[in-house]
Amino acid sequence: MLLRRNVTTFTNRRRGRKFSEAAVLQMLFFMLGVIFVLYISLMLVIAINTNSFHTPLQGPANTIFGISNVRESQSELDLKIPSNSKINENQFIQESADIQLKENTDQSKRNVIINEISSHTTLKAYIEPIDQNSWDIRPLPNRTHKAKDLKVLSFPKVSFCSRLTEQWPVDNYPEEDPFLPWIHDVFPTNDGKFIQFIAQNRRRCDTGTNDKDRKTIMWRQPQLSLFQHVPLQRLENGRYKLSSHEKADPDGKESRFICRFKPGGEETLSRFNFNYDYVSFRKRHKATFTKIGKWDVKSLHTSQLLFQCPVPEHLQEKIRDGSSVVNDIATLFVDIVPVRTPPRYGSPNSFLPPRYSEF
């Protein structure tokens, strides 16, 4: 038996037309779509007229942080107040000092912090000369470069915290110093305990076989070092030395960067989100990297560099709730100082930390 479903219709008395339920629903959806498009268009017009595309981010994401590359340098990657800003710079500096010294009435210390915050108004990177020939010397020679030997590269366009992602100088990487991480993003964790850095492996670019590209691949070897941990031990006077895993400080067994928070100057040691050599071992790779970059430029897990800077305990709450940001401008900064050692080209399990001893 053939069953036919009756379709309910209604009649337009004026014209005598009949419409099915499906046709009515189609017309309703079409009208709703038109209303939605008109609403979005109206919101865009309002946003353009009120300049609301760059409203400050909520909470800790407002905080901007700096990077540097040497132990002796001063403020390396900080924030610039645009000349056309409506914010009074002196007022901003005073408010920043008040945030840092709410419970301290020592005027001399307040003046020191005011001067230090004033010096942090421009994003900078310090370029250190590299001599790869010294990598063949064993043991590795002591560092000899001083602050006066460094070349300063400034990035004045980095301004407000809410525009950090779009203003970060990703396309202006300083090729003169491949020990600097090619950072693409930076933000605090939700609990305010760490500053998360997301960088890319610069050596994955320009991987051709001509002479120019081969020289570039060799020059960018320090990028590989940044993926490999080094054990660090603290010495007196704020100095550090390379050590064995057993002698390294508890927070320095798997590190690569010295993180210096300003103002205040507290230092912590970075940590990786995961151990890249261990991942290479589990993938059964013969080496994490190769000197000539024959095949490791195709390795997916070494294309992105992830590491964190632990935040000093007394700053964690300010970073967590975003109170360190004044008028969308940061008052706390962090410099990152890479530990400069040549890359390791051996088996990925040849220098694993003790926690991987079973491998």
Side-chain angles (χ1 to χ4, degrees), residues 7-291:
V7 179
T8 303
T9 61
F10 73 91
T11 303
N12 185 324
R13 293 183 178 179
R14 177 178 297 180
R15 297 184 180 180
R17 295 178 181 176
K18 294 184 178 181
F19 299 92
S20 67
E21 288 182 340
V24 173
L25 290 176
Q26 288 180 353
M27 287 189 292
L28 289 176
F29 282 123
F30 175 77
M31 293 176 63
L32 290 174
V34 171
I35 295 173
F36 177 76
V37 171
L38 291 175
Y39 174 77
I40 294 298
S41 301
L42 179 61
M43 292 299 100
L44 289 175
V45 171
I46 295 175
I48 292 174
N49 292 334
T50 58
N51 220 8
S52 63
F53 279 114
H54 303 301
T55 54
L57 301 176
Q58 299 298 319
N62 287 335
T63 310
I64 187 173
F65 305 92
I67 65 172
S68 68
N69 66 329
V70 291
R71 177 73 179 84
E72 297 86 353
S73 60
Q74 297 300 318
S75 81
E76 286 80 18
L77 186 63
D78 302 317
L79 194 64
K80 179 178 177 58
I81 302 176
S83 58
N84 60 351
S85 174
K86 297 181 181 180
I87 302 172
N88 181 282
E89 183 171 353
N90 292 330
Q91 179 182 358
F92 159 70
I93 293 171
Q94 187 65 48
E95 290 178 357
S96 302
D98 290 339
I99 291 175
Q100 304 300 322
L101 297 172
K102 282 183 177 179
E103 299 179 357
N104 194 319
T105 57
D106 187 343
Q107 187 61 39
S108 61
K109 187 174 182 180
R110 179 180 295 272
N111 291 336
V112 170
I113 291 185
I114 289 177
N115 293 334
E116 190 171 0
I117 293 177
S118 300
S119 68
H120 289 350
T121 56
T122 301
L123 179 70
K124 296 179 181 178
Y126 280 54
I127 312 303
E128 181 173 343
I130 298 176
D131 179 15
Q132 293 189 8
N133 294 325
S134 64
W135 293 357
D136 297 327
I137 302 175
R138 293 292 186 272
L140 291 174
N142 292 328
R143 294 275 302 283
T144 58
H145 293 114
K146 303 298 182 182
K148 61 182 179 61
D149 301 323
L150 307 178
K151 175 184 175 182
V152 182
L153 186 62
S154 300
F155 304 97
K157 292 184 179 180
V158 180
S159 54
F160 295 105
C161 297
S162 61
R163 303 184 63 180
L164 175 63
T165 303
E166 64 182 273
Q167 294 180 338
W168 194 267
V170 175
D171 297 328
N172 297 316
Y173 177 79
E175 291 287 354
E176 305 95 318
D177 190 355
F179 268 112
L180 292 178
W182 190 20
I183 295 176
H184 282 57
D185 198 5
V186 54
F187 51 87
T189 56
N190 290 335
D191 55 10
K193 294 182 178 181
F194 299 94
I195 308 303
Q196 177 69 58
F197 289 89
I198 300 178
Q200 299 294 328
N201 185 350
R202 186 70 174 179
R203 203 186 191 217
R204 301 293 287 271
C205 304
D206 308 309
T207 57
T209 57
N210 58 60
D211 292 341
K212 180 180 179 181
D213 287 342
R214 302 313 298 172
K215 290 180 180 178
T216 300
I217 289 176
M218 296 302 290
W219 173 249
R220 290 175 177 168
Q221 288 184 80
Q223 283 283 291
L224 310 182
S225 301
L226 303 182
F227 286 81
Q228 299 174 326
H229 79 278
V230 287
L232 296 177
Q233 184 180 9
R234 290 179 176 82
L235 302 176
E236 296 180 355
N237 301 322
R239 298 177 64 85
Y240 301 82
K241 77 171 184 178
L242 298 173
S243 70
S244 63
H245 290 111
E246 291 73 21
K247 294 182 179 180
D249 289 343
D251 60 340
K253 293 183 182 296
E254 301 179 56
S255 187
R256 174 54 69 173
F257 300 93
I258 300 170
C259 309
R260 185 185 305 118
F261 289 81
K262 295 180 177 180
E266 297 93 342
E267 293 183 350
T268 62
L269 297 178
S270 71
R271 70 176 197 176
F272 291 98
N273 291 65
F274 59 90
N275 189 292
Y276 288 90
D277 283 331
Y278 177 68
V279 174
S280 297
F281 172 76
R282 294 301 301 267
K283 287 177 173 287
R284 301 182 182 276
H285 291 179
K286 294 182 179 180
T288 305
F289 301 107
T290 60
K291 187 172 184 179

